[in-house]
mmCIF file of all heavy atoms in Angstrom:
data_model
loop_
_atom_site.group_PDB
_atom_site.id
_atom_site.type_symbol
_atom_site.label_atom_id
_atom_site.label_comp_id
_atom_site.label_asym_id
_atom_site.label_seq_id
_atom_site.Cartn_x
_atom_site.Cartn_y
_atom_site.Cartn_z
ATOM 1 N N ASN U 316 187.870 123.938 142.195
ATOM 2 C CA ASN U 316 186.944 122.870 141.779
ATOM 3 C C ASN U 316 185.584 123.492 141.448
ATOM 4 O O ASN U 316 185.234 124.494 142.011
ATOM 5 C CB ASN U 316 186.775 121.827 142.873
ATOM 6 C CG ASN U 316 188.028 121.011 143.039
ATOM 7 O OD1 ASN U 316 188.951 121.067 142.217
ATOM 8 N ND2 ASN U 316 188.136 120.242 144.100
ATOM 9 N N VAL U 317 184.858 122.786 140.711
ATOM 10 C CA VAL U 317 183.460 123.189 140.330
ATOM 11 C C VAL U 317 182.530 122.169 141.106
ATOM 12 O O VAL U 317 182.553 120.973 140.859
ATOM 13 C CB VAL U 317 183.165 123.152 138.852
ATOM 14 C CG1 VAL U 317 181.687 123.507 138.638
ATOM 15 C CG2 VAL U 317 184.089 124.100 138.125
ATOM 16 N N ALA U 318 181.734 122.707 142.016
ATOM 17 C CA ALA U 318 180.787 121.873 142.798
ATOM 18 C C ALA U 318 181.491 120.708 143.432
ATOM 19 O O ALA U 318 180.865 119.650 143.609
ATOM 20 C CB ALA U 318 179.643 121.393 141.870
ATOM 21 N N GLY U 319 182.632 120.890 143.828
ATOM 22 C CA GLY U 319 183.377 119.889 144.594
ATOM 23 C C GLY U 319 183.972 118.773 143.773
ATOM 24 O O GLY U 319 184.656 117.925 144.267
ATOM 25 N N ALA U 320 183.783 118.845 142.469
ATOM 26 C CA ALA U 320 184.329 117.741 141.625
ATOM 27 C C ALA U 320 185.806 118.057 141.282
ATOM 28 O O ALA U 320 186.184 119.205 141.217
ATOM 29 C CB ALA U 320 183.500 117.662 140.330
ATOM 30 N N PRO U 321 186.615 116.984 141.058
ATOM 31 C CA PRO U 321 187.994 117.241 140.662
ATOM 32 C C PRO U 321 188.041 118.119 139.390
ATOM 33 O O PRO U 321 187.259 117.876 138.468
ATOM 34 C CB PRO U 321 188.504 115.855 140.470
ATOM 35 C CG PRO U 321 187.650 114.934 141.255
ATOM 36 C CD PRO U 321 186.280 115.595 141.178
ATOM 37 N N ALA U 322 188.961 119.066 139.349
ATOM 38 C CA ALA U 322 189.041 119.924 138.177
ATOM 39 C C ALA U 322 190.473 120.200 137.865
ATOM 40 O O ALA U 322 191.012 121.203 138.282
ATOM 41 C CB ALA U 322 188.254 121.252 138.404
ATOM 42 N N PRO U 323 191.197 119.327 137.148
ATOM 43 C CA PRO U 323 192.566 119.672 136.807
ATOM 44 C C PRO U 323 192.635 120.926 136.012
ATOM 45 O O PRO U 323 191.824 121.240 135.141
ATOM 46 C CB PRO U 323 192.943 118.498 135.842
ATOM 47 C CG PRO U 323 192.038 117.376 136.225
ATOM 48 C CD PRO U 323 190.717 118.015 136.624
ATOM 49 N N VAL U 324 193.605 121.746 136.366
ATOM 50 C CA VAL U 324 193.743 123.068 135.750
ATOM 51 C C VAL U 324 194.192 122.870 134.319
ATOM 52 O O VAL U 324 195.231 122.154 134.037
ATOM 53 C CB VAL U 324 194.788 123.961 136.554
ATOM 54 C CG1 VAL U 324 195.108 125.234 135.798
ATOM 55 C CG2 VAL U 324 194.227 124.223 137.940
ATOM 56 N N ALA U 325 193.549 123.593 133.405
ATOM 57 C CA ALA U 325 193.865 123.470 132.030
ATOM 58 C C ALA U 325 194.978 124.442 131.524
ATOM 59 O O ALA U 325 195.095 125.536 132.192
ATOM 60 C CB ALA U 325 192.595 123.731 131.145
ATOM 61 N N GLY U 326 195.762 123.998 130.638
ATOM 62 C CA GLY U 326 196.787 124.893 129.994
ATOM 63 C C GLY U 326 198.016 125.078 130.764
ATOM 64 O O GLY U 326 198.818 126.019 130.514
ATOM 65 N N VAL U 327 198.332 124.233 131.793
ATOM 66 C CA VAL U 327 199.528 124.444 132.589
ATOM 67 C C VAL U 327 200.435 123.232 132.560
ATOM 68 O O VAL U 327 201.428 123.204 133.317
ATOM 69 C CB VAL U 327 199.149 124.770 134.038
ATOM 70 C CG1 VAL U 327 198.369 126.054 134.111
ATOM 71 C CG2 VAL U 327 198.392 123.685 134.674
ATOM 72 N N SER U 328 200.165 122.246 131.766
ATOM 73 C CA SER U 328 200.985 121.027 131.672
ATOM 74 C C SER U 328 202.452 121.407 131.384
ATOM 75 O O SER U 328 202.700 122.082 130.383
ATOM 76 C CB SER U 328 200.431 120.025 130.688
ATOM 77 O OG SER U 328 201.245 118.837 130.634
#
Side-chain angles (χ1 to χ4, degrees):
N316 289 346
V317 178
V324 173
V327 297
S328 180

